Amino acid sequence: MKRPKLKKASKRMTCHKRYKIQKKIREHHRKLRKEAKKRGHKKRRKDPGVPNSAPFKEALLREAEIRKQRLEELKQQQKLDRQKEQEKKRKLGTNPGVEPSNLELVKEELGQCKAKNKAKSGKQNPKKLYCQELKKVIETSNVVLEVLDARDPLGCRCPQVEEAIVQGGQKKLILVLNKSDLVPKENLENWLNYLKKELPTVVFRASTNLKAKEKIIKVRKKAAPFKSEACVGKEGLWKLLEGFQETWGKAIRVGVIGFPNVGKSSIINSLKQDQICNVGVSMGLTRSMQVVPLDKQITIIDSPGFIVSPLNSATALALRSPASIEVIKPVEAASAILSQADARQVVLKFTVPDFKNSLEFFTSLAQRRGLHQKGGSPNVEGAAKLLWSEWTGASLAYYCHPPTSWTPSSHFNEGIMTDMKWGFNLEELEKNNAHTIQAIKGPRLASSILFWSSGLTNGIIEEKDIPEELPKQKKRKQEEGEDCRDIDSNQENADEETDEKSSDMSPAEEAWEVLPEEFQADEQSAQSYVLDKITEEEDDAYDFSTDYV
């Protein structure tokens, strides 16, 4: 009922009327359900899948995956063909005088040129490119920041690179102790006192929450610039560079160098207060030099990581080389790291029972973290990869003691050390470092793991010193390249061949044919090898994420 002096009628109703409407609706729904039952329309049952008791279950699942991949590839190929036809029609519509045969010839020529360029770039070893980029950064820089992991500062120093900087002439070298929040404060102070005798040293903690802060700013719609609350030590490094620029009298270029995963790109992002350089969990993300202007007078240059010499110890290779986990077996690399750590503190940190050897530790760690293979056996390799990823990342707190007696490096003398310290305000740097150490919330000594450093890590600068790839790695890369070319150039033939092979042989038989010679004699070990090959993707599905580069 419309009341006077009101534009709209009230939607209120009595409870009796409302309950009556609800009852009618329920009855109507019940009636629809009965009719649907009579018609026989039932919900589709979910596919239960292949039961565990079925024979050759893994082979059947693998065949289903191959069939699904073939269908996806076929759809992609059809989509590409449609796009090519549409491009031809568009070009013929815009240029009616051009014949289709000429267009095809032009496309073929362009494709050949691209293939030649790819072949030229593929022939060169990527490690040689890293050496070239590192040399460019050292040559163009006036000041070089060598980033060290505060958990093992001595192991992050490369004598070959430092010697090249000294020989370059009129270049300043500064040590930056990054990840300083992962070591106890007493240990950090001891390392600072040890390193500053040789070179100017800055305590730093790079920010790791740039993305989260940017999202918050976007939601709140603030026009103010980004403020890195998590970064500590930025003011000390900034004042040190500004003071040197004033004494130098002209604009300076600052190169950032170091081993992989020490936080080079994170330091640049913290100084710039923006996500400019690419950072991530995996090692070796930066593959070329990147120039970032901080202001009108200071320009900073990012560089790829040092290439570790294969003559180093197994522990140094496992910690500093991104390819060590691929070249060396994960269990061997993680065992080398474990042998340098205090066993009692490792047991307390990972909450595992006492162990006699590394294999026993990885077995108990896999059981503790729920890493199991098919059949319930503990995944030892998965546990080894977990330890390796935590040790090279920024989630584990461990520390090394500095040497008891200080001795300068072989490539430094008193004259070089005084030259390196010239132009810097060292008194102000000490005050800023003391303020930074107070601001950092480091872990307690009891919750950290004592680690024995293997000393300086040798690196490779000259391209001629880079060892050639092993024949197994070369064959693998060639096979991968050939497979890619075959798929791109002749997709239909590849599909036909796979159809014939799949019809003749099951995936289990294919895996059996590619068995190594050492497994062909023993039938039981061969069966386990085939099962491991089939479930390889499932075992490698663990993602151990950390904050730092």
Side-chain angles (χ1 to χ4, degrees):
M1 180 180 174
K2 190 173 181 181
R3 289 181 286 177
K5 295 184 182 180
L6 288 175
K7 293 182 180 179
K8 293 181 181 179
S10 174
K11 291 183 180 179
R12 286 185 180 183
M13 62 176 73
T14 60
C15 292
H16 174 73
K17 190 175 181 181
R18 187 166 71 248
Y19 295 150
K20 192 175 181 182
I21 291 165
Q22 289 174 0
K23 188 178 177 183
K24 287 281 184 186
I25 290 166
R26 284 199 299 272
E27 287 174 359
H28 176 69
H29 287 322
R30 198 181 296 117
K31 189 178 179 182
L32 290 176
R33 284 197 298 273
K34 281 184 181 179
E35 287 175 1
K37 251 185 204 178
K38 286 176 185 178
R39 286 197 300 268
H41 290 293
K42 294 180 181 178
K43 291 181 180 179
R44 290 183 181 180
R45 290 183 180 179
K46 291 182 180 179
D47 185 11
V50 184
N52 291 329
S53 59
F56 305 109
K57 180 186 174 182
E58 291 84 3
L60 290 169
L61 292 172
R62 188 66 179 171
E63 283 176 5
E65 285 179 7
I66 290 166
R67 210 177 297 117
K68 190 178 178 182
Q69 285 176 2
R70 265 195 233 118
L71 287 170
E72 287 177 359
E73 287 173 1
L74 188 65
K75 284 180 184 178
Q76 287 178 359
Q77 188 63 30
Q78 288 174 354
K79 190 178 179 181
L80 289 170
D81 292 339
R82 284 197 297 271
Q83 287 176 357
K84 285 178 182 178
E85 286 176 5
Q86 287 174 2
E87 285 176 4
K88 281 182 185 179
K89 286 177 183 177
R90 283 196 207 104
K91 286 182 180 179
L92 287 170
T94 51
N95 301 323
V98 181
E99 295 179 0
S101 59
N102 295 336
L103 284 170
E104 288 173 4
L105 288 169
V106 170
K107 281 184 181 179
E108 285 178 5
E109 288 175 2
L110 287 170
Q112 288 174 2
C113 292
K114 284 179 183 178
K116 285 178 183 177
N117 291 332
K118 281 182 182 178
K120 284 179 182 176
S121 61
K123 282 179 184 177
Q124 195 168 4
N125 191 350
K127 289 184 179 178
K128 293 183 179 178
L129 292 172
Y130 296 164
C131 279
Q132 292 172 7
E133 294 293 315
L134 183 63
K135 281 182 180 178
K136 284 180 192 174
V137 172
I138 292 170
E139 286 173 4
T140 55
S141 301
N142 306 113
V143 180
V144 181
L145 303 179
E146 188 177 8
V147 184
L148 311 178
D149 192 335
R151 296 174 292 182
D152 185 13
L154 205 63
C156 293
R157 291 186 67 176
C158 182
Q160 287 80 13
V161 176
E162 290 181 2
E163 193 175 354
I165 293 165
V166 169
Q167 290 174 358
Q170 294 185 351
K171 293 183 189 298
K172 305 294 178 184
L173 181 61
I174 301 171
L175 303 178
V176 181
L177 280 173
N178 194 23
K179 303 185 185 181
S180 52
D181 59 323
L182 297 174
V183 295
K185 286 188 178 182
E186 295 175 4
N187 185 258
L188 186 63
E189 288 174 355
N190 293 336
W191 272 112
L192 182 63
N193 294 329
Y194 180 84
L195 294 171
K196 72 181 183 182
K197 292 176 184 177
E198 201 166 23
L199 293 166
T201 308
V202 182
V203 179
F204 202 88
R205 197 269 185 192
S207 64
T208 56
N209 56 351
L210 287 168
K211 289 182 181 177
K213 288 284 179 183
E214 285 174 357
K215 286 177 185 175
I216 291 165
I217 288 162
K218 285 179 183 177
V219 170
R220 293 178 183 175
K221 296 180 181 179
K222 284 186 179 181
F226 166 74
K227 291 183 180 180
S228 175
E229 292 178 1
C231 178
V232 184
K234 184 183 73 174
E235 291 181 3
L237 182 58
W238 190 269
K239 286 178 181 178
L240 190 72
L241 295 174
E242 278 185 341
F244 178 75
Q245 188 271 323
E246 288 175 2
T247 54
W248 188 259
K250 54 183 179 180
I252 58 169
R253 292 179 297 274
V254 183
V256 182
I257 61 171
F259 280 102
N261 219 18
V262 293
K264 301 184 293 295
S265 301
S266 296
I267 287 172
I268 294 170
N269 291 338
S270 300
L271 289 172
K272 187 65 178 175
Q273 300 180 357
D274 198 1
Q275 186 86 24
I276 288 178
C277 299
N278 190 19
V279 295
V281 177
S282 58
M283 288 185 176
L285 280 176
T286 307
R287 299 184 179 181
S288 59
M289 62 183 289
Q290 185 178 354
V291 181
V292 180
L294 293 180
D295 59 9
K296 292 180 181 179
Q297 301 296 329
I298 302 171
T299 305
I300 201 160
I301 308 168
D302 196 6
S303 68
F306 300 154
I307 297 163
V308 182
S309 173
L311 302 174
N312 286 298
S313 62
T315 311
L317 287 171
L319 288 172
R320 308 288 166 233
S321 177
S324 63
I325 202 71
E326 298 170 4
V327 177
I328 309 170
K329 292 179 181 178
V331 178
E332 292 178 7
S335 299
I337 294 169
L338 196 64
S339 64
Q340 300 290 106
D342 189 0
R344 286 181 62 191
Q345 292 175 347
V346 168
V347 165
L348 292 170
K349 184 72 178 177
F350 290 95
T351 59
V352 293
D354 198 6
F355 57 92
K356 295 177 183 178
N357 51 32
S358 59
L359 191 63
E360 191 178 342
F361 170 76
F362 296 137
T363 305
S364 55
L365 182 63
Q367 290 172 349
R368 176 76 181 170
R369 299 291 178 95
L371 305 176
H372 297 292
Q373 292 178 341
K374 285 197 172 180
S377 59
N379 188 359
V380 176
E381 283 196 3
K385 284 181 181 177
L386 171 63
L387 181 75
W388 179 80
S389 64
E390 287 192 1
W391 219 277
T392 54
S395 61
L396 194 67
Y398 66 91
Y399 65 97
C400 301
H401 286 305
T404 52
S405 60
W406 178 80
T407 52
S409 304
S410 58
H411 50 277
F412 285 128
N413 54 37
E414 290 183 3
I416 291 169
M417 286 189 285
T418 51
D419 288 340
M420 288 292 174
K421 292 175 183 178
W422 179 85
F424 296 112
N425 191 348
L426 299 178
E427 292 179 359
E428 189 179 8
L429 178 62
E430 283 184 9
K431 290 178 184 177
N432 290 325
N433 282 336
H435 180 69
T436 303
I437 291 168
Q438 286 179 358
I440 289 171
K441 294 180 181 179
R444 289 179 297 175
L445 198 67
S447 62
S448 301
I449 300 171
L450 179 61
F451 185 76
W452 289 278
S453 177
S454 55
L456 298 170
T457 307
N458 294 316
I460 298 173
I461 295 180
E462 299 298 328
E463 297 171 28
K464 60 183 180 180
D465 297 334
I466 294 172
E468 293 183 1
E469 293 179 349
L470 296 170
K472 287 183 182 178
Q473 293 176 356
K474 281 186 179 179
K475 282 182 183 178
R476 197 181 299 158
K477 286 186 178 180
Q478 286 173 2
E479 285 171 4
E480 286 174 1
E482 286 171 5
D483 291 341
C484 294
R485 287 174 204 147
D486 292 339
I487 289 164
D488 293 336
S489 62
N490 204 353
Q491 183 72 25
E492 293 177 2
N493 294 336
D495 291 338
E496 287 174 7
E497 287 173 5
T498 50
D499 290 334
E500 290 173 4
K501 285 180 182 177
S502 61
S503 60
D504 294 339
M505 292 188 298
S506 68
E509 290 173 353
E510 289 175 11
W512 194 274
E513 280 195 356
V514 194
L515 278 174
E517 293 177 3
E518 56 189 21
F519 290 113
Q520 287 176 2
D522 190 5
E523 189 175 354
Q524 193 172 3
S525 59
Q527 287 176 1
S528 63
Y529 177 82
V530 171
L531 289 171
D532 289 339
K533 274 286 178 187
I534 291 169
T535 58
E536 191 176 6
E537 294 176 1
E538 294 176 6
D539 293 338
D540 293 336
Y542 297 103
D543 182 22
F544 310 111
S545 61
T546 49
D547 291 333
Y548 279 99
V549 180

